[in-house]
Amino acid sequence: MTADGTKQWGVTPPISTALPTQAELAINDALVEELKKQNNFETPEDTQRRTVVLESLQKITTEFVRQVSKKKGFNDAVAESAGGKIFTYGSYRLGVYGPGSDIDTLVVVPKHVSREDFFDMFPSLLTQMAPAGAITELTPVPDAFVPIIKFEYSAIAIDLIFARLALPQVPITLSLKDKSLLRGVEGRDLRSLNGIRDTDEILELVPQQKVFKYALRAIKLWARRRAVYANVMGFPGGVAWAMLVARVCQLYPQATSAVVLSKFFVIMCKWSWPTPVLLKPIEDGPLSVRIWNPKVYHGDKFHLMPVITPAYPSMCSTHNISTFTKKIICREMERASMIVERILAKQLPWKDLFTPHTFFTEGYKYYLGVIAASRTREAQLTWSGLVESKVRLLVSSLEHVESIELAHPFIKGFDRVHRCQTEDEVEAIIRGDMRFHTADVRTETTDLVHDRKGEAVVNGNNADPAQNGQTQNGQAPNGGSESPDKGFAHTIYTTTFYIGIEIVQDGTKQLDLSYFTNDFRDICTAWPQFNPDLNSVSVSMTRNYDLPSDVFKPGEIKPVRIKAKKPRKSETSSPMKRQASTMESEGPTGADSKRSRLSAEPRPIAAS
C-alpha cells in the first residue's frame, strides 16, 4: 500500500495517480483511431474463427489423452477422467493480437502421457478430427529447445507446445497459478508452463488492462516498424515489450494509454540500466532451479537491459541484448520520445510515430551480408534458422573492432532462390552474386513467428528438427538432394541477413574483419547437422548503393553512388588515396573460386 492507503502496483510507489484530463482523453481517442487505421485490430468474425479452432483443439486434446490412457492399460473410467487442457499464451492471451497473428498454445497433460506420445499420436489425430483440409503446413519439431508442433488450422497459424504435470488428472478447470504444480516437472516442461504463468501475471499486475492493451499494441507496432522487435537478433521480444509497458502502467495507474505511451519513452530513455525492470519482487519457490540473480550467477551480471519475468522461477527475457543493440534501442526510444512530445503538443499526428525504419535507404553506408545457402529447400529451412540464431554473436564480436562505431542487425533475413549451370556460378551465388537470382520466385523475408522449421535451432538446439529424421514428403531435411529446376544444373537457396556498419570517423584506412567472420563461420559449422555438401555460410561487405533491389519496399528510394570529384594528377598516382576511397569485400580468387561444392571454409573479408 502507498502512504495514502491506495494499492501500490509494482515494486515502487506510483509517480502519479492523477486522473486523465479532457485533453488527454481526446489524444487517447486519436491514438486508438490511428491503431485502427493501421489495421491493428482483427474483425469479430476472424476472432470467432479463433475461438472455434481453440474449442476444436481442446476436444482433440481430450481425445488424445483418452487414447494414450487406453493404450497404456488404464480402464475406461480412468481414461475418460484423465482430462488434458489447452492453454494459450503470448499475444493472444494478452489480448493484443491482430490480423494474421498466430496463436501460441500449450497442451497440458497428466503424468502418464509422455512427450513421445504427443509427437507420435497428436499430429495424426489432429488431421483425423479436424475438418477435411483444415490442417496444413503440419511440422512436428520434437527436438527443439522447446519441442513444438507447428501447423495452420483453417488458415490460422498455431504453435503447439507440450507440458506434463506430475498429476494423475488434468481437469478442464485447472489453473497454473499455483507454483506447487511445478514440482516434479522437467526443464522443458517448466519453460513451456511459464509462458502461460508469465502472461497471466503480467495481466494481474497492471492497474487497468484496457489501458495496458492499447499501449502495448502501440509499442509493438512501433517496435516492428522501427525494426527493434526480435529477440533472436538481440532486441526485445514480445514478452519483454509487454513487461516494459506494464511497468509504466504501474507507475501511472490512472493514466490513459496515450499518456502511458508518452511516459514509456521518457522513462525508458532515462532508466538506469542495468537496474532490472521488475513487475514485482522476485519470488523464491519449492524447486532447485536457477532464478535470475546477478549476486549469485556471474553470467547474470552481464545482462545490459534486464527485464525480469514475474512468474516463479524468474528469468531475464532480454539476455540477448548486446552493447550495439542496446545503443540502437535507446536511440529509437529517444527519437520516439521527441515525436510523442510533439504529438501531445498537437504538432504531429500519431501516424508519425509509426513511420517505418530507414535501415536500407538512409541507415548506413556499408553493410555486412551474412549468407546462409543450401542446395535443397528443406535443408535451407533448417540451416538458415541456425545461422540466424548466431548472427547476434557476430554482432557482439564486432564490438571489439575499434574502427566500428556500431553494428546494427536487421530483424529479418531475405530468402532467395537462384538457378545456375556451373559450380563457379554456385560459388558466386554463395558470395552474394545476384546475377542468378530467379526473377519468377519472389524474395521473402524471414519471420520466426511463422517459420515452420528454422525455429528448431534458434535456441541452441543441435538436433534435426524433422520428426524421425524425415519431413512430410519423406525427404531427409539435411541429407539427400533435390532435383534441379528444368533447364538448370543447380538450384541454390539463400537467406541473407544484413548488418549495417557505422565506421568511426577517425580517418580509418582499412577494415579487416576476417578474424571475426571466420570465427562466426566456425560457430555455425560446428552444428552437428551441418552438411558441407549441402550447406554454406559466408559473409561479404557491400556498399549501400550495391544493395539488391528486393530489400527496398515500394516507394523507398535506393541509394545511388555519388561520383567523387576527379582527382588531380598527383593524387591519381597515389595508391593510398585510391585505397582510402573504397571499401570492398574480397571476391573469389585462385583455387577458391573453382570449388566443386558448397562450402563454408574460411574466407577472409577485408575492407579498405
Side-chain angles (χ1 to χ4, degrees):
M1 303 291 286
T2 61
D4 61 1
T6 59
K7 180 178 178 179
Q8 175 176 307
W9 298 88
V11 294
T12 62
I15 294 175
S16 172
T17 57
L19 293 172
T21 65
Q22 288 300 314
E24 289 171 347
L25 291 171
I27 203 74
N28 189 71
D29 291 342
L31 171 63
V32 174
E33 285 304 309
E34 183 58 37
L35 289 174
K36 292 178 180 178
K37 290 178 183 177
Q38 298 282 348
N39 195 31
N40 202 258
F41 297 90
E42 193 172 63
T43 65
E45 293 77 16
D46 286 339
T47 298
Q48 179 59 29
R49 285 176 53 240
R50 292 179 185 270
T51 302
V52 171
V53 165
L54 288 171
E55 289 173 351
S56 175
L57 287 177
Q58 178 58 55
K59 292 178 181 178
I60 295 170
T61 296
T62 303
E63 177 62 18
F64 160 66
V65 173
R66 190 191 71 81
Q67 289 191 16
V68 172
S69 302
K70 291 286 292 180
K71 184 180 178 181
K72 295 190 176 182
F74 290 88
N75 62 42
D76 289 345
V78 173
E80 293 293 340
S81 64
K85 184 176 179 179
I86 282 282
F87 290 85
T88 61
Y89 62 102
S91 62
Y92 183 82
R93 195 171 186 89
L94 285 171
V96 293
Y97 56 93
S101 296
D102 65 346
I103 306 179
D104 296 314
T105 53
L106 170 67
V107 170
V108 177
V109 299
K111 61 183 180 180
H112 63 272
V113 180
S114 70
R115 182 173 286 103
E116 289 72 23
D117 295 328
F118 178 61
F119 284 99
D120 287 344
M121 297 178 61
F122 203 95
S124 59
L125 196 60
L126 189 63
T127 55
Q128 291 170 20
M129 293 186 64
I135 304 298
T136 58
E137 301 292 325
L138 179 59
T139 308
V141 192
D143 298 310
F145 185 70
V146 177
I148 191 169
I149 297 176
K150 290 172 165 286
F151 58 96
E152 290 191 3
Y153 191 145
S154 299
I156 298 172
I158 306 290
D159 286 354
L160 187 63
I161 59 177
F162 171 94
R164 176 171 59 174
L165 296 177
L167 299 174
Q169 297 176 329
V170 174
I172 195 68
T173 57
L174 179 74
S175 167
L176 298 176
K177 186 173 182 179
D178 184 359
K179 59 187 176 184
S180 67
L181 289 172
L182 304 178
R183 291 183 183 274
V185 171
E186 64 172 81
R188 286 183 293 183
D189 293 337
L190 179 61
R191 289 191 291 270
S192 298
L193 292 166
N194 259 21
I196 287 89
R197 287 164 47 78
D198 283 327
T199 303
D200 287 349
E201 290 226 21
I202 290 170
L203 289 173
E204 291 175 1
L205 291 167
V206 294
Q208 301 181 77
Q209 288 191 13
K210 184 176 180 180
V211 168
F212 165 72
K213 291 176 181 180
Y214 279 130
L216 180 56
R217 282 181 178 274
I219 288 296
K220 285 165 68 76
L221 178 61
W222 164 81
R224 287 195 174 101
R225 292 282 175 85
R226 300 306 300 176
V228 287
Y229 189 113
N231 180 57
V232 70
M233 285 297 180
F235 297 103
V239 68
W241 285 119
M243 288 187 289
L244 290 170
V245 173
R247 183 67 187 115
V248 178
C249 287
Q250 291 178 335
L251 296 173
Y252 294 87
Q254 301 291 346
T256 64
S257 302
V259 170
V260 167
L261 197 59
S262 66
K263 300 300 183 182
F264 175 90
F265 293 115
V266 173
I267 290 172
M268 293 305 156
C269 283
K270 297 179 180 179
W271 194 268
S272 181
W273 304 109
T275 301
V277 172
L278 298 167
L279 297 183
K280 69 175 192 179
I282 294 176
E283 289 184 39
D284 288 327
L287 307 180
S288 297
V289 295
R290 176 169 175 166
I291 301 173
W292 187 85
N293 189 339
K295 295 180 179 179
V296 175
Y297 300 107
H298 183 70
D300 292 350
K301 296 178 181 178
F302 297 99
H303 295 160
L304 302 179
M305 301 180 74
V307 181
I308 310 305
T309 56
Y312 169 84
S314 294
M315 305 173 188
C316 180
S317 66
T318 50
H319 62 275
N320 282 351
I321 291 178
S322 67
T323 300
F324 281 157
T325 54
K326 176 188 174 185
K327 183 175 181 179
I328 295 159
I329 295 164
C330 292
R331 184 172 66 185
E332 285 294 338
M333 286 184 174
E334 289 171 1
R335 173 189 173 275
S337 180
M338 291 187 290
I339 290 173
V340 173
E341 184 179 356
R342 296 184 65 188
I343 292 171
L344 297 181
K346 299 183 179 180
Q347 297 174 355
L348 291 175
W350 276 112
K351 68 177 182 179
D352 284 13
L353 178 64
F354 308 119
T355 301
H357 64 83
T358 56
F359 182 85
F360 294 109
T361 56
E362 301 174 9
Y364 301 94
K365 188 176 181 181
Y366 307 108
Y367 295 83
L368 287 180
V370 177
I371 305 169
S374 301
R375 287 190 184 269
T376 71
R377 189 186 306 274
E378 291 295 334
Q380 182 63 7
L381 285 171
T382 316
W383 176 240
S384 63
L386 183 282
V387 174
E388 181 169 24
S389 72
K390 306 301 182 185
V391 169
R392 64 183 177 82
L393 302 180
L394 175 59
V395 172
S396 294
S397 72
L398 296 179
E399 295 171 5
H400 303 290
V401 182
E402 293 183 357
S403 299
I404 293 181
E405 181 71 28
L406 185 69
H408 181 174
F410 190 59
I411 61 174
K412 295 181 181 180
F414 291 80
D415 292 329
R416 302 183 177 105
V417 179
H418 313 258
R419 299 187 178 109
C420 62
Q421 299 291 359
T422 70
E423 290 293 343
D424 284 347
E425 292 172 346
V426 170
E427 285 297 320
I429 290 169
I430 65 178
R431 287 171 175 268
D433 195 320
M434 291 290 291
R435 289 178 297 163
F436 309 99
H437 179 223
T438 304
D440 60 348
V441 180
R442 188 177 67 177
T443 299
E444 299 283 355
T445 56
T446 61
D447 186 345
L448 286 177
V449 172
H450 298 103
D451 181 2
R452 292 287 173 244
K453 297 282 179 62
E455 193 176 280
V457 291
V458 163
N459 290 306
N461 170 62
N462 287 329
D464 193 332
Q467 185 179 24
N468 299 323
Q470 293 199 333
T471 63
Q472 283 182 288
N473 60 12
Q475 182 185 49
N478 222 35
S481 60
E482 195 170 274
S483 300
D485 290 89
K486 187 175 181 180
F488 295 92
H490 307 285
T491 299
I492 306 299
Y493 301 89
T494 66
T495 305
T496 304
F497 305 99
Y498 291 97
I499 303 172
I501 300 294
E502 186 177 314
I503 305 298
V504 174
Q505 301 300 314
D506 62 353
T508 299
K509 301 294 183 181
Q510 188 169 356
L511 184 63
D512 185 355
L513 304 180
S514 57
Y515 173 83
F516 303 97
T517 57
N518 288 341
D519 184 60
F520 171 74
R521 186 270 317 174
D522 291 339
I523 291 172
C524 292
T525 57
W527 180 48
Q529 301 301 320
F530 171 72
N531 185 340
D533 292 319
L534 284 177
N535 308 127
S536 166
V537 60
S538 63
V539 185
S540 62
M541 182 80 78
T542 186
R543 295 253 193 171
N544 56 359
Y545 51 75
D546 285 327
L547 287 168
S549 298
D550 57 10
V551 305
F552 300 97
K553 294 181 179 179
E556 292 184 336
I557 300 174
K558 181 178 179 177
V560 296
R561 185 171 189 173
I562 300 175
K563 294 184 179 180
K565 294 181 180 179
K566 188 174 182 179
R568 295 190 299 271
K569 185 175 181 180
S570 60
E571 293 177 338
T572 305
S573 62
S574 170
M576 288 302 294
K577 289 287 185 181
R578 185 170 60 252
Q579 186 182 41
S581 67
T582 62
M583 187 170 184
E584 302 171 351
S585 62
E586 287 189 359
T589 59
D592 192 45
S593 67
K594 299 179 181 179
R595 306 183 62 84
S596 61
R597 59 177 173 81
L598 284 178
S599 174
E601 291 194 5
R603 293 188 179 91
I605 173 170
S608 58

